[in-house]
Amino acid sequence: MEHIPFNFPFLAAALLVGISLYIIIFKKNLIKLIMGVAMLASGVNLFLVALGYRAGGASPIYTNVLERPMVLPVPQALTLTSIVINVAVLALMLTIVIRIYRHTGSLDSEKSRKMKG
Amino acid sequence: MPSLITHSPILIIAIPLAAAFLTLPIGMASRKARNALVIVSLAFVVFLVFALARDISINGIHVYTLGATSPDLTIPKGFMVPVRIILEVDSMSVLMGIIWSIVALAAAIFSLSHIANETGQNRFYTLLLLMVAGGFGIMFTGDLFNLFVFLEITSISGAALIAFRTRFADAQEGGFKYIVVSAIASLMVLFAIGLLYAQYNLLNIGALAQVIQYTTLDKIALALLVIAFTIKAGMVPLHLWLPDAYSVAPASITGMLLITSHACMYAAFRVCFTLYGGMLNTPVVGWIIIIFGLLSMFVGVTMALIQKDVMRFMSYHAISQLGYMWVGVGVGLAVLGNAGLVDSYGKAAMSGGIFHILNDAMYMPLLFFIGGALFHCTGTRDFTQMGGLAHKLKWTTILFIIGSLCISGIPPFNGFSSKILIYESVYQFHPILTIAGIIVSILILASFIKVFHSAFMGAELSEYKAVKEVPRSMIIAMVILAAGIVFITLFPSLIVNWTIHPASDALINQGGYINAVTGAIP
Amino acid sequence: MTFILESGYAFWNPIILIIVFIVTMVIVYFFRRRGQENYKKDTDQAQIFLCGEEVPEAEQRHVRAGNIYWGFFETLKEYYNQILRPHTGIINDYVLWFIAVTAIIAIILLIAGLGT
């Protein structure tokens, strides 16, 4: 693990967030937009777990404890909560897109809109 | 009774939550029992919020630790920072709580007739009670991550309620836009919470406020937090989703969504005033908020003038009224570093902005409910096709006149009281803000006269001969809000002294907030 | 406890305004009662006169909302064309605005902090 630079998880999180913002802004298909939001959530979750890492750290469990510093447990709890919330959000988004498709017959964000101005 | 008051913050969040889960089985058994459960639980929550408000005005900030042996044990023995989720209710939070409980009760009563012909009503009331619980969580929490969780609860139930009437295609589109916007805003909040936790190892707002310095990462976190709450509140130029979502929802839900955006605005103020406090660059952040407010006031009303859909028209006016609040509190933030200016006009500007939150929460849901009543009666939201409805809908016309006079700031109504507080104090800061505010008020009056003439005045049209007055529960809900308007109209100084001045003092007094959580500094 | 709202610069008491309004309305009512006696309602005197043209039915006379304030909208047509351009209704453009404004505000905060 020593030859991976310390910043690599943060770079990966930034890359995930950047690609997901590109998808949300420039892709017109509603399903791709939902995938973009899912990827954004993954990027933020990765950022949360990565910020708790301590070099050479052990899991934050008090059974058979090793003589090493532990990684921070609180961001892992925040990430679990965030994963559960994002599952609910994605399920709701997919349900509404199914309804939009049944009403308008199109999955394009420009062709399926009825309201403007 | 004393223990009821001590445990009231968590009871106010838990009672709607429990009622939400009980609504489904009880609703399957009997419709009347479910309606009674919803109304009784919301009425009890109104009573609890008023009792809590009285307790806070006597005893100061009310802190509640979840899961500790005693509710105010924020820092247990051997710890140096507060642990566990802490609910911290000060005067500003409980003012938002009063608004939310009254509007939620009115919305539930309105829904009794408005969705009476829809299927799946049990799920509607479950989602409504979940949204109420989520809103109280945003207003009462003292912990950043708890704020994120309740923000998501409110957004998810709100989006499901917008898209509730699945036979309308535009409702689905509005619900989709709302949930995408909310998901992105909440992920921005989570990112900022991660940035703050990485530096300080703390999630509690009071404890963070003690140790925060204004480093580069803190500036990025501030930008993310303020912009995320601005997106959810609906300020220009981030308001584009708001008319789409608010115009297609059932009218009672639109009233509640409006107070949700007020709650997100409250969260932005909590971040600026209490979390960062004097550490941030107050002139710059204050001016950013003032510019958002000015743009919202102006773009909101000019876009409202060209609308043809009555609910879309009201939602653009909601954006414009939010601008007034932001200008008032933004001026207070801009002069926060300078104690002399705070006393001379900063506190008055903040009081004006916060008083406008209270007033807007009384007349804006009333106007949304009237839009819903018009939709219920005529079957269309397009007011260019309506006409002569004042002949049949007498109560609705009177309430519409009251609502439109309030929103335009015509004396003696409550809109004028808060607007004059804002105008008089903001003028000292920069005269252009007052001038813009007065021009916008004139345009608001013009737009409401247009709608009033087109929809209510004129001869009775042949296609609306069968229209009857709206059902009684809708009138009761609108009269609850109108009673609030009349009370605030007649006694503005009482309301300001009881609730508004303590609220603006609580926002400015960062030290009191920190002391309530960390215990008095020996 | 006074019933006056004070902002430090303004004096506002709604009760006084309502009392003044009621007194004025009473005075106006007494002026009206001494009005003209040769006005007969519901006769030809009260009909609409359109220079001898046919007066349409009340239903067709009703001016709809789309036509009110035409002059205002004609004058501000350029402003409205500009302000309607961002309001497209496409969700992708909304998110573009969010990200752009976040980036601008973050840059402003960073630059404003450089001076101190």
Side-chain angles (χ1 to χ4, degrees):
Chain A
M1 282 288 277
E2 282 74 26
H3 47 271
I4 301 180
F6 181 59
N7 285 332
F8 187 66
F10 295 106
L11 287 176
L15 202 63
L16 273 177
V17 168
I19 294 179
S20 63
L21 285 176
Y22 173 81
I23 295 175
I24 299 177
I25 295 178
F26 289 107
K27 293 292 175 192
K28 295 283 187 194
N29 193 330
L30 289 180
I31 302 288
K32 289 186 186 170
L33 199 129
I34 296 178
M35 284 191 217
V37 174
M39 208 193 267
L40 181 63
S42 303
V44 176
N45 290 338
L46 177 61
F47 171 71
L48 279 178
V49 173
L51 68 89
Y53 182 69
R54 296 286 173 263
S59 311
I61 301 173
Y62 272 109
T63 314
N64 295 334
V65 62
L66 301 165
E67 286 302 320
R68 286 194 280 173
M70 288 181 174
V71 301
L72 296 183
V74 172
Q76 302 187 355
L78 305 184
T79 310
L80 280 174
T81 313
S82 156
I83 292 176
V84 169
I85 293 177
N86 287 315
V87 163
V89 168
L90 287 172
L92 183 63
M93 280 200 253
L94 285 168
T95 312
I96 299 183
V97 165
I98 294 178
R99 290 258 157 226
I100 291 180
Y101 182 67
R102 282 191 196 158
H103 274 291
T104 62
S106 153
L107 275 179
D108 190 289
S109 67
E110 192 166 345
K111 297 195 182 56
S112 69
R113 64 182 165 132
K114 290 190 180 316
M115 296 184 277
K116 53 184 287 194
Chain B
M1 187 66 178
S3 74
L4 194 67
I5 305 285
T6 321
H7 293 285
S8 52
I10 193 62
L11 276 179
I12 293 174
I13 300 180
I15 289 178
L17 204 54
F21 291 119
L22 284 176
T23 307
L24 274 173
I26 294 185
M28 286 199 260
S30 148
R31 221 193 54 167
K32 281 192 182 305
R34 175 203 71 210
N35 291 348
L37 171 71
V38 169
I39 304 295
V40 164
S41 57
L42 285 175
F44 187 57
V45 165
V46 170
F47 162 70
L48 274 182
V49 170
F50 274 101
L52 180 62
R54 191 177 155 272
D55 180 66
I56 290 178
S57 65
I58 301 175
N59 292 335
I61 297 183
H62 191 114
V63 165
Y64 191 88
T65 317
L66 295 178
T69 49
S70 124
D72 44 4
L73 185 69
T74 56
I75 307 184
K77 229 163 125 63
F79 287 90
M80 305 225 289
V81 292
V83 294
R84 301 196 176 97
I85 296 178
I86 299 181
L87 302 176
E88 188 166 347
V89 191
D90 63 355
S91 310
M92 177 79 189
S93 321
V94 82
L95 173 69
M96 304 296 302
I98 292 175
I99 294 173
W100 183 235
S101 52
I102 295 179
V103 173
L105 181 63
I109 297 179
F110 191 85
S111 311
L112 289 179
S113 348
H114 192 63
I115 58 149
N117 296 329
E118 310 275 342
T119 56
Q121 287 178 42
N122 293 335
R123 295 173 213 148
F124 181 88
Y125 287 108
T126 307
L127 285 169
L128 192 140
L129 287 168
L130 274 177
M131 195 171 162
V132 171
F136 277 122
I138 299 178
M139 294 162 191
F140 285 174
T141 186
D143 187 279
L144 272 179
F145 190 70
N146 210 12
L147 182 67
F148 164 75
V149 171
F150 279 114
L151 183 70
E152 287 272 37
I153 292 178
T154 318
S155 309
I156 295 174
S157 33
L161 283 169
I162 294 176
F164 183 74
R165 299 187 288 199
T166 51
R167 62 180 190 275
F168 294 130
D170 46 7
Q172 311 303 308
E173 187 189 331
F176 182 69
K177 286 181 181 162
Y178 186 74
I179 190 64
V180 167
V181 164
S182 300
I184 294 178
S186 313
L187 287 169
M188 283 164 72
V189 169
L190 187 58
F191 197 85
I193 292 175
L195 282 174
L196 287 174
Y197 187 80
Q199 297 183 77
Y200 303 111
N201 245 341
L202 290 168
L203 286 175
N204 192 313
I205 297 181
L208 258 180
Q210 240 182 346
V211 298
I212 203 165
Q213 305 129 29
Y214 197 46
T215 65
T216 309
L217 281 179
D218 286 342
K219 291 177 192 156
I220 299 180
L222 175 69
L224 282 170
L225 277 171
V226 167
I227 298 297
F229 287 123
T230 309
I231 293 175
K232 286 286 299 183
M235 312 302 288
V236 173
L238 308 164
H239 70 290
L240 303 163
W241 59 273
L242 200 147
D244 296 338
Y246 283 23
S247 56
V248 294
S252 43
I253 302 303
T254 316
M256 290 179 63
L257 284 172
L258 178 76
I259 312 297
T260 307
S261 58
H262 286 190
C264 297
M265 189 173 60
Y266 154 80
F269 295 154
R270 186 59 79 198
V271 163
C272 287
F273 279 92
T274 309
L275 182 62
Y276 283 83
M279 280 293 181
L280 52 82
N281 195 345
T282 43
V284 171
V285 180
W287 266 105
I288 291 175
I289 291 186
I290 292 175
I291 299 216
F292 275 145
L294 268 181
L295 279 175
S296 311
M297 287 200 292
F298 208 67
V299 172
V301 79
T302 50
M303 284 298 293
L305 275 165
I306 59 172
Q307 296 300 324
K308 297 188 174 40
D309 175 334
V310 66
M311 293 289 275
R312 221 173 149 85
F313 172 81
M314 304 292 185
S315 31
Y316 272 111
H317 276 299
I319 295 176
S320 148
Q321 296 298 306
L322 285 168
Y324 274 100
M325 302 168 212
W326 274 53
V327 165
V329 180
V331 165
L333 182 62
V335 298
L336 193 62
N338 188 337
L341 288 180
V342 165
D343 279 332
S344 92
Y345 61 82
K347 210 177 273 200
M350 283 184 57
S351 299
I354 297 175
F355 193 23
H356 205 73
I357 298 181
L358 175 62
N359 288 340
D360 189 70
M362 290 288 124
Y363 55 68
M364 203 76 228
L366 173 67
L367 287 170
F368 278 125
F369 289 173
I370 292 176
L374 286 176
F375 179 62
H376 185 96
C377 288
T378 60
T380 173
R381 283 199 308 263
D382 189 350
F383 56 75
T384 57
Q385 294 175 6
M386 300 183 202
L389 289 173
H391 291 272
K392 291 283 176 58
L393 305 178
K394 295 191 173 44
W395 280 95
T396 314
T397 312
I398 296 174
L399 290 165
F400 185 82
I401 295 177
I402 293 178
S404 48
L405 288 178
C406 287
I407 194 173
S408 324
I410 305 288
F413 289 100
N414 54 358
F416 176 74
S417 308
S418 57
K419 280 187 183 174
I420 198 169
L421 274 181
I422 296 178
Y423 292 158
E424 292 276 345
S425 44
V426 161
Y427 187 78
Q428 311 278 316
F429 184 72
H430 202 292
I432 191 89
L433 304 174
T434 306
I435 297 173
I438 297 180
I439 293 178
V440 167
S441 275
I442 299 173
L443 289 174
I444 294 177
L445 182 64
S447 61
F448 271 95
I449 290 179
K450 164 177 152 173
V451 174
F452 183 64
H453 171 87
S454 172
F456 288 98
M457 295 269 98
E460 228 177 311
L461 296 181
S462 54
E463 55 255 28
Y464 297 130
K465 281 228 185 311
V467 160
K468 294 191 326 248
E469 180 60 273
V470 291
R472 211 175 29 183
S473 76
M474 289 192 196
I475 303 273
I476 294 177
M478 295 197 269
V479 164
I480 292 177
L481 292 173
I485 290 178
V486 167
F487 183 66
I488 303 178
T489 301
L490 290 177
F491 306 113
S493 63
L494 284 184
I495 302 284
V496 169
N497 288 334
W498 282 346
T499 54
I500 310 293
H501 279 315
S504 53
D505 287 337
L507 266 187
I508 297 180
N509 185 8
Q510 187 195 24
Y513 196 92
I514 300 177
N515 282 342
V517 168
T518 60
I521 302 189
Chain C
M1 163 160 69
T2 67
F3 287 97
I4 304 172
L5 182 69
E6 287 171 12
S7 77
Y9 312 99
F11 166 89
W12 168 239
N13 189 346
I15 314 262
I16 294 184
L17 188 102
I18 294 178
I19 294 176
V20 165
F21 187 73
I22 294 178
V23 166
T24 316
M25 285 293 116
V26 166
I27 296 177
V28 163
Y29 175 69
F30 279 118
F31 274 125
R32 249 182 89 103
R33 272 180 48 147
R34 305 179 46 176
Q36 293 199 333
E37 276 98 21
N38 54 358
Y39 171 71
K40 292 175 264 305
K41 217 166 148 185
D42 286 338
T43 61
D44 266 346
Q45 222 181 24
Q47 297 290 345
I48 302 172
F49 180 67
L50 277 184
C51 306
E53 305 250 340
E54 276 271 336
V55 177
E57 285 290 323
E59 250 179 62
Q60 289 147 349
R61 270 207 308 259
H62 184 65
V63 181
R64 309 289 175 139
N67 304 320
I68 302 178
Y69 298 151
W70 176 84
F72 178 79
F73 295 132
E74 269 302 297
T75 326
L76 290 185
K77 207 204 265 283
E78 269 313 307
Y79 167 76
Y80 273 111
N81 285 342
Q82 289 306 312
I83 205 79
L84 277 175
R85 271 194 1 202
H87 291 84
T88 54
I90 305 174
I91 182 81
N92 309 79
D93 301 340
Y94 297 178
V95 180
L96 183 60
W97 273 98
F98 297 165
I99 306 301
V101 169
T102 311
I104 293 176
I105 300 291
I107 292 176
I108 291 179
L109 281 182
L110 286 173
I111 293 182
L114 277 179
T116 56

